[in-house]
Amino acid sequence: MMMMADAGVVVVETSSGLSDVNTAGSTSAALASLHEEMKCDLEAVPALNLGELDLTTNEFILDEVDIHIQANLEDDLVKEALKTGVDLRQYSKQVESELQRIEQASIKDYIKESQNIASLHNQITACDSILERMEGMLSGFQSDLSSISSEIQTLQQQSVSMNVRLKNRQAVRSQLSQLVDELVVPSTMISVILESPVTEQEFLEQLHELNNKINFAKELSFRETLACSDIQDIVDRLKIKAVTKIREFILQKIYSFRKPMTNYQIPQNTLLKYRFFYQFLLANERQVAKEIRDEYVGTMSKIYYSYFKSYSGRLMKVQYEEVADKDDLMGVEDTAKKGFFSKPSLKSRNTIFTLGQRGAVLSPAELEGPILIPHTAQRGDCRYPYETLFRSQHYALLDNGCREFLFISDFFMVAGNSALDLFNCIMGKTLSMFLKSMSTYVSDCYDSIAIFLCIHIILRFKAITAKRNIPALDKYWEAVLELLWPRFELILEMNIQSIRDTDPQKLGVLDTRPHYITRRYAEFSSAIVSINQTFPNERTNALLGQLQVEVENFVLKMAAEFPSRKDQLIFLINNYDMMLSVLMERAADDSKEVEGFQQLLLARTQEFIEEILSPPFGGMIAFVKESEALMEKGQLDRLKNDEARITQLVRGFSSTWKQSVEALSQDVMRSFTNFKNGTSIIQGALTQLIQYYHGFHKVLSQPTFRSLAVRSELINLHHLMVEVKKHKPNF
């Protein structure tokens, strides 16, 4: 064994160990393992660290040697060895002998396991051969997979090519099959078109198929397809046969409308079920379609004209016999001369200006209620005002017109102006007849309420057709309104003029009760205002304003005929109160008519209270007013010498006020027809009396009159109020 020290590392080599291993037949790998184990054992021995001392260099410096020695002396093992006094040479030999022993033991262990190592070597060799064979097999597999991959690519290319050819064939097949299906005329279609009735469902289905084939044949003819000529002849024959059968069927249904007592809505509903028939004719035989359309228009035009002419004539037979004429105006006097065959007088004429139950015709229930049956009304001897007949007539027109417009739009497939033109062709004659007869009637009508109700009936019917989205009758409604509005305004202007021209001298005996002309106005104005609320009209409001002005002037002219101011005021109050009461029953409380008469009534009532208080209490009232005026100026002393006058006033009031109040109350209640109004006037008069007497007390309490002995005879104001309340009538 040889030890070498280099850079502080101890290396031990042995030659005997190597020869022994070779003798035992160990491999180089076993020796390497032995060398590593020995190296690990040697690492456990402390080595002498000489640092980087190089003994071969010529530049040997003792100082550096001292540094290295000093550094090694710092080592813990060296310190321990020096401290114990161990001989380093002896210690080195001891270490070397220990290493040899360990080496020998290791070699013996390797020799002992030499058979296992040789077996392991043989096994590794066998594994190498097996792996070599597997490598050959895998190389073969790799070559086989390469060939398979090329085959798969080839198959994929073939599949893509076949898929393209398949799609092309399918596309061609679908077009060809569709073409063949459209070109082929099945026997079922031929037999059904030729033999089945047009009302059968299968006929309608085959007619749809035939229409498709006709359209397809037209399309092919544009493309100059040769196969089209093969079926053109049979398709044309089937078309002619279908057109013939459809024409006969529709004309038969149209002719059935002409039978008496026929409900034409039933065959109309039947035609709507087969609306495709007309569509087929319109697409394939326009001449026949035009023939059917003209036949329908002509037939329905005659039917509607005949029906409505008969119905209107019968309706007019159940109208009231008594109708207003040019003499039935608001200002016509009661004493107007009448002939032997004259109409009933004023009492009957008042109904012309009264709405009564006539306004019910505008209620939703009656407006869209069943139409009148003339012969039923005649059997029951029922009579109706003109507006009720007008409502029934025009609701029948509205109902039939809406249904007819919807039918022609659906069956004849028209819309917009085309539909309106077709509707006018059917209903035009009937509408012209309506307008002509209405113009004749209206030109001689003086019943303004009837005309106004008719106007509002038309306005509501116009709203109904707009809600149903039926524009067919819009022009007719406008034409009717153009007839009615001017007539209504003319009648209203005639009534205004009649009141303006009224001569109070010709109206008979003067009476403070409400005048019949003002009652006519009140009833008429309330009727027009209540009707006009739903569809306000400014022209109507303006005319009513003129009428109100003329009535107010008339009332003032009539009041001027009374000799006394008291009677004039009673007449004015009675008339204003009556007109206000009637107006408030129907018109809104904030209408200008109501507000105007409320102001007039209040002003005349205050004046009347002053008038009736003046005879019994005029002296006291005049004294109070005079005194209050002087008090404001500070000149009350001017009345200091009126003690006698004051005494007379105090004693006179105390002795007569009860009798005067009682007489005043009775007089007021006799003068006013409206007890409620009379009671209100009495209460106002008594309240005013107490205010004057309170003012009388106040004047006499002034320093100027404080010394008067008669002040003790004044009635206590509270006592007076209690006593006055006893005289207030309760109604």
Side-chain angles (χ1 to χ4, degrees):
M1 177 179 292
M2 181 177 64
M3 273 180 69
M4 293 176 59
D6 183 13
V9 179
V10 179
V11 180
V12 181
E13 293 185 2
T14 175
S15 58
S16 61
L18 292 173
S19 61
D20 291 339
V21 174
N22 289 330
T23 305
S26 62
T27 63
S28 59
L31 292 175
S33 177
L34 176 61
H35 179 70
E36 290 294 328
E37 184 175 352
M38 290 173 65
K39 190 175 181 180
C40 292
D41 292 336
L42 289 174
E43 288 176 357
V45 181
L48 183 62
N49 187 7
L50 297 179
E52 297 179 355
L53 181 61
D54 187 1
L55 299 179
T56 62
T57 181
N58 295 327
E59 299 177 0
F60 183 78
I61 303 174
L62 290 177
D63 292 338
E64 293 182 0
V65 173
D66 290 338
I67 293 172
H68 287 295
I69 292 173
Q70 187 64 32
N72 287 327
L73 288 176
E74 296 295 327
D75 188 86
D76 293 336
L77 291 176
V78 176
K79 284 181 179 181
E80 184 66 27
L82 293 175
K83 190 181 292 183
T84 55
V86 177
D87 187 1
L88 292 178
R89 291 187 293 273
Q90 185 64 33
Y91 182 72
S92 175
K93 290 179 181 180
Q94 182 183 350
V95 170
E96 184 176 357
S97 63
E98 183 68 25
L99 288 174
Q100 288 177 356
R101 185 183 63 76
I102 293 172
E103 180 181 6
Q104 291 299 325
S106 298
I107 292 171
K108 288 179 182 180
D109 289 339
Y110 282 109
I111 293 172
K112 183 179 177 180
E113 297 295 331
S114 62
Q115 292 181 357
N116 293 334
I117 294 173
S119 175
L120 177 61
H121 176 71
N122 293 333
Q123 290 177 4
I124 292 173
T125 303
C127 287
D128 287 342
S129 63
I130 292 171
L131 291 173
E132 185 177 359
R133 289 197 303 272
M134 289 183 66
E135 183 179 4
M137 291 173 64
L138 291 174
S139 298
F141 288 157
Q142 185 177 7
S143 63
D144 292 341
L145 288 174
S146 299
S147 62
I148 290 173
S149 176
S150 62
E151 291 178 1
I152 289 174
Q153 291 179 354
T154 303
L155 290 174
Q156 185 178 8
Q157 293 175 356
Q158 293 177 357
S159 175
V160 171
S161 177
M162 292 175 67
N163 190 32
V164 172
R165 291 199 297 270
L166 177 61
K167 288 183 178 179
N168 292 336
R169 288 180 181 178
Q170 288 177 343
V172 172
R173 180 180 179 182
S174 64
Q175 294 183 2
L176 287 176
S177 62
Q178 182 180 0
L179 178 63
V180 171
D181 290 341
E182 294 292 345
L183 288 175
V184 172
V185 180
S187 58
T188 305
M189 177 185 292
I190 297 173
S191 61
V192 169
I193 296 296
L194 294 178
E195 300 173 3
S196 295
V198 296
T199 54
E200 296 291 335
Q201 181 64 27
E202 58 179 354
F203 180 86
L204 186 60
E205 293 174 355
Q206 294 301 326
L207 188 65
H208 278 279
E209 292 296 327
L210 177 60
N211 190 54
N212 291 335
K213 291 188 182 298
I214 293 173
N215 294 333
F216 189 71
K218 291 179 181 178
E219 183 180 348
L220 291 181
S221 65
F222 293 144
R223 300 179 184 175
E224 299 181 355
T225 304
L226 297 178
C228 178
S229 59
D230 296 338
I231 65 164
Q232 190 66 47
D233 183 57
I234 188 170
V235 168
D236 289 342
R237 291 183 181 182
L238 288 175
K239 181 181 74 173
I240 293 172
K241 182 64 176 178
V243 168
T244 303
K245 295 176 71 173
I246 291 172
R247 175 182 177 276
E248 292 176 356
F249 171 75
I250 297 178
L251 288 178
Q252 182 183 1
K253 290 296 178 184
I254 294 174
Y255 294 152
S256 67
F257 295 167
R258 303 176 181 178
K259 296 179 181 179
M261 306 300 293
T262 298
N263 184 357
Y264 59 86
Q265 296 174 12
I266 295 176
Q268 274 187 339
N269 293 334
T270 303
L271 287 176
L272 284 178
K273 291 170 58 178
Y274 302 103
R275 62 174 65 86
F276 181 71
F277 288 173
Y278 184 80
Q279 183 179 347
F280 181 83
L281 294 178
L282 196 63
N284 299 288
E285 199 63 48
R286 286 187 170 272
Q287 192 63 32
V288 176
K290 183 178 183 302
E291 177 190 1
I292 288 175
R293 177 170 164 172
D294 293 343
E295 190 66 34
Y296 177 84
V297 169
T299 300
M300 292 308 297
S301 177
K302 293 176 182 177
I303 289 174
Y304 281 125
Y305 180 78
S306 175
Y307 166 73
F308 279 107
K309 183 177 182 181
S310 174
Y311 182 68
S312 300
R314 292 178 181 179
L315 274 181
M316 297 308 292
K317 292 180 181 179
V318 295
Q319 184 185 4
Y320 282 130
E321 294 180 358
E322 294 182 5
V323 294
D325 60 20
K326 61 182 179 179
D327 294 326
D328 291 318
L329 299 174
M330 199 174 295
V332 173
E333 56 272 11
D334 191 19
T335 56
K337 294 181 179 180
K338 298 289 181 179
F340 181 75
F341 296 102
S342 63
K343 300 187 315 162
S345 63
L346 198 56
K347 183 178 180 181
S348 175
R349 186 181 299 130
N350 280 340
T351 59
I352 299 171
F353 306 101
T354 304
L355 185 62
Q357 297 300 318
R358 298 171 71 181
V361 73
L362 298 178
S363 64
E366 190 167 339
L367 188 70
E368 300 184 55
I371 63 174
L372 293 177
I373 309 299
H375 61 270
T376 303
Q378 285 178 326
R379 282 202 301 266
D381 198 22
C382 297
R383 297 288 175 172
Y384 300 94
Y386 178 73
E387 64 271 9
T388 301
L389 309 181
F390 182 88
R391 195 280 317 175
S392 183
Q393 181 186 42
H394 282 81
Y395 187 69
L397 175 65
L398 181 148
D399 197 33
N400 285 276
C402 290
R403 185 181 294 106
E404 186 63 31
F405 183 80
L406 292 174
F407 173 80
I408 61 176
S409 299
D410 196 359
F411 186 78
F412 292 107
M413 296 179 297
V414 290
N417 291 331
S418 299
L420 294 177
D421 293 341
L422 184 58
F423 179 83
N424 289 330
C425 290
I426 296 172
M427 300 293 294
K429 191 175 179 182
T430 301
L431 298 180
S432 298
M433 181 265 293
F434 268 26
L435 290 174
K436 183 177 179 181
S437 61
M438 196 181 310
S439 177
T440 302
Y441 179 85
V442 167
S443 63
D444 196 37
C445 176
Y446 293 88
D447 188 351
S448 53
I449 291 183
I451 298 294
F452 200 59
L453 285 171
C454 291
I455 289 173
H456 280 263
I457 288 171
I458 293 298
L459 292 174
R460 285 161 172 77
F461 283 168
K462 187 177 180 181
I464 291 173
T465 54
K467 185 177 180 180
R468 296 182 183 180
N469 197 22
I470 305 294
L473 292 170
D474 288 353
K475 290 185 178 179
Y476 175 74
W477 300 140
E478 294 297 332
V480 173
L481 292 175
E482 288 177 2
L483 276 176
L484 297 178
W485 274 118
R487 186 63 187 179
F488 172 73
E489 293 174 1
L490 176 63
I491 298 173
L492 202 53
E493 289 171 354
M494 292 173 66
N495 280 287
I496 293 172
Q497 188 63 39
S498 69
I499 293 176
R500 185 181 296 127
D501 296 341
T502 299
D503 185 0
Q505 301 291 337
K506 298 180 181 180
L507 296 181
V509 180
L510 292 176
D511 192 346
T512 57
R513 290 175 297 180
H515 200 274
Y516 57 82
I517 290 181
T518 58
R519 179 169 293 279
R520 292 177 191 173
Y521 162 76
E523 295 286 354
F524 177 78
S525 181
S526 64
I528 298 301
V529 169
S530 63
I531 296 171
N532 200 44
Q533 288 175 350
T534 307
F535 295 93
N537 180 267
E538 292 301 324
R539 174 63 177 162
T540 302
N541 292 333
L543 290 173
L544 285 178
Q546 294 180 22
L547 181 62
Q548 181 180 351
V549 170
E550 294 301 329
V551 169
E552 291 175 3
N553 293 336
F554 164 76
V555 173
L556 293 175
K557 286 193 297 183
M558 285 297 300
E561 296 294 318
F562 291 93
S564 68
R565 182 58 182 167
K566 177 182 176 182
D567 288 339
Q568 292 177 1
L569 292 172
I570 292 174
F571 177 80
L572 292 174
I573 292 172
N574 275 329
N575 281 273
Y576 291 154
D577 177 65
M578 181 273 298
M579 289 188 287
L580 187 61
S581 300
V582 174
L583 283 169
M584 291 182 68
E585 287 180 5
R586 297 186 180 275
D589 292 343
D590 58 349
S591 65
K592 64 179 183 179
E593 290 83 5
V594 172
E595 292 179 352
F597 285 115
Q598 282 178 336
Q599 294 174 1
L600 290 172
L601 178 62
L602 180 62
R604 298 288 81 79
T605 300
Q606 290 297 325
E607 185 179 352
F608 178 74
I609 288 173
E610 296 290 337
E611 187 70 25
I612 60 175
L613 289 176
S614 180
F617 309 108
M620 181 190 69
I621 294 172
F623 177 78
V624 169
K625 290 181 178 179
E626 182 182 359
S627 300
E628 288 177 346
L630 291 173
M631 285 172 61
E632 290 180 0
K633 298 177 181 179
Q635 301 175 358
L636 191 59
D637 291 342
R638 293 173 59 181
L639 299 176
K640 184 183 296 185
N641 299 324
D642 287 351
E643 181 178 352
R645 177 186 175 190
I646 295 172
T647 302
Q648 182 182 0
L649 290 175
V650 171
R651 292 174 179 173
F653 182 86
S654 300
S655 61
T656 63
W657 75 268
K658 289 185 178 180
Q659 296 85 349
S660 299
V661 167
E662 184 66 29
L664 181 147
S665 299
Q666 293 178 359
D667 185 30
V668 169
M669 297 310 297
R670 285 194 303 268
S671 300
F672 298 101
T673 55
N674 185 347
F675 289 138
K676 184 178 179 180
N677 184 42
T679 302
S680 176
I681 291 174
I682 291 173
Q683 291 177 352
L686 295 178
T687 302
Q688 188 67 30
L689 175 61
I690 291 173
Q691 289 179 353
Y692 280 131
Y693 199 70
H694 175 66
F696 191 51
H697 266 264
K698 185 178 179 181
V699 170
L700 295 183
S701 64
Q702 297 298 314
T704 305
F705 305 111
R706 221 174 257 174
S707 59
L708 295 178
V710 78
R711 287 183 68 249
S712 61
E713 299 180 22
L714 287 171
I715 300 174
N716 181 272
L717 194 62
H718 179 70
H719 175 70
L720 179 64
M721 293 174 63
V722 173
E723 291 295 325
V724 163
K725 286 183 179 179
K726 297 179 182 179
H727 291 80
K728 289 184 178 180
N730 295 316
F731 290 98

